[in-house]
Amino acid sequence: MSRHPEVKWAQRLDKVFITVQLPDSKDSKVNLEPDGVFTFSGSAGSENHHYELKLELFDKVNVEESKVNIGVRSIFCILEKAEKGWWKKLLRGDGKPPHYVKVDWDKWVDEDEDNGTAGLGDMDLGGMDFSKFGDMGGMGGLGGMGGLGGMGGLGDMDMGGMGDDNEFDGSDDDEQEVSKPEKSGDKAESAKAEAEIKGGSSEEKKEAAAAST
């Protein structure tokens, strides 16, 4: 059964910011249609749970100028509005938004504060590398970007950790083998017992010889 990732959003006069919160996502696929249909799918977690998302945005968007960054902790999208204007909400329709869609207050500005020049200058994008939706060819093109989430490296690290555990297990076995030999005191008692046995047998031989004479 598919799950829904948490989504945060904010806007400017000409843009909409959508952040899909899904750390260490694998096989992330993102698609955007001109009529404002935004879809996402991917897997995450130790059990590779599958996540899906479909958002019917409030208005149309310019796919060619919209951008996406698939990072280790989230998928961040900058969607270019087809027409400049302040959206009343993120999704079309009269119903309440899903519980997993929330306002991104870190990126939010009020309508009266947005004069159309704020753009991305007031945001810290942390050196993100963006790819344009128009250059990706839809979901198929973005499907190959799942590796950017860094999961390949993490997978190798996990396997390396398993190897270390096996090595530690082997060292425990070695320590157990080292503790098996007898102590020096035990060796001395063993030698004494063997001497007594040998001595007793020689005395028996002497008594037997005397009896025969």
Side-chain angles (χ1 to χ4, degrees):
M1 181 177 178
S2 299
R3 304 184 179 190
H4 298 294
E6 180 178 309
V7 178
K8 292 185 177 182
W9 80 285
Q11 67 174 315
R12 297 295 186 271
L13 187 65
D14 58 343
K15 295 177 176 64
V16 177
F17 307 127
I18 293 180
T19 303
V20 180
Q21 303 278 54
L22 193 63
D24 298 328
S25 62
K26 301 177 182 178
D27 301 325
S28 297
K29 297 180 181 179
V30 188
N31 191 43
L32 181 66
E33 299 293 338
D35 60 353
V37 177
F38 175 91
T39 56
F40 166 82
S41 66
S43 58
S46 58
E47 298 181 2
N48 285 330
H49 292 299
H50 186 68
Y51 292 81
E52 286 185 347
L53 181 69
K54 181 178 180 180
L55 303 176
E56 294 185 359
L57 304 178
F58 183 77
D59 207 345
K60 297 179 180 180
V61 294
N62 185 338
V63 176
E64 297 296 326
E65 295 300 323
S66 298
K67 303 176 182 179
V68 59
N69 170 268
I70 300 180
V72 175
R73 299 192 61 81
S74 63
I75 294 86
F76 179 54
C77 305
I78 302 177
L79 310 184
E80 195 78 17
K81 295 178 180 179
E83 296 182 5
K84 291 184 179 181
W86 198 261
W87 289 4
K88 297 178 181 179
K89 52 187 178 180
L90 176 64
L91 305 178
R92 71 187 69 165
D94 299 328
K96 293 183 179 180
H99 65 88
Y100 50 84
V101 177
K102 303 176 181 179
V103 173
D104 191 343
W105 295 112
D106 293 335
K107 298 180 178 66
W108 189 268
V109 297
D110 292 331
E111 182 177 2
D112 56 359
E113 297 176 353
D114 183 10
N115 56 12
T117 61
L120 302 178
D122 57 342
M123 295 175 54
D124 181 12
L125 300 180
M128 292 182 179
D129 293 327
F130 287 90
S131 300
K132 288 188 176 183
F133 279 94
D135 296 338
M136 288 296 135
M139 294 179 66
L142 280 174
M145 296 182 64
L148 294 179
M151 290 305 298
L154 290 176
D156 296 338
M157 290 175 64
D158 291 339
M159 293 301 293
M162 291 175 64
D164 293 341
D165 291 340
N166 293 334
E167 292 177 4
F168 287 137
D169 293 342
S171 63
D172 291 340
D173 294 339
D174 294 341
E175 290 177 0
Q176 291 177 0
E177 292 177 359
V178 170
S179 63
K180 288 180 180 179
E182 297 178 346
K183 296 181 180 179
S184 58
D186 295 338
K187 289 182 177 180
E189 291 179 1
S190 299
K192 182 178 179 181
E194 291 178 0
E196 289 177 355
I197 293 173
K198 290 180 180 180
S201 60
S202 60
E203 290 178 359
E204 290 176 357
K205 288 180 181 180
K206 290 180 180 180
E207 292 177 357
S212 63
T213 57

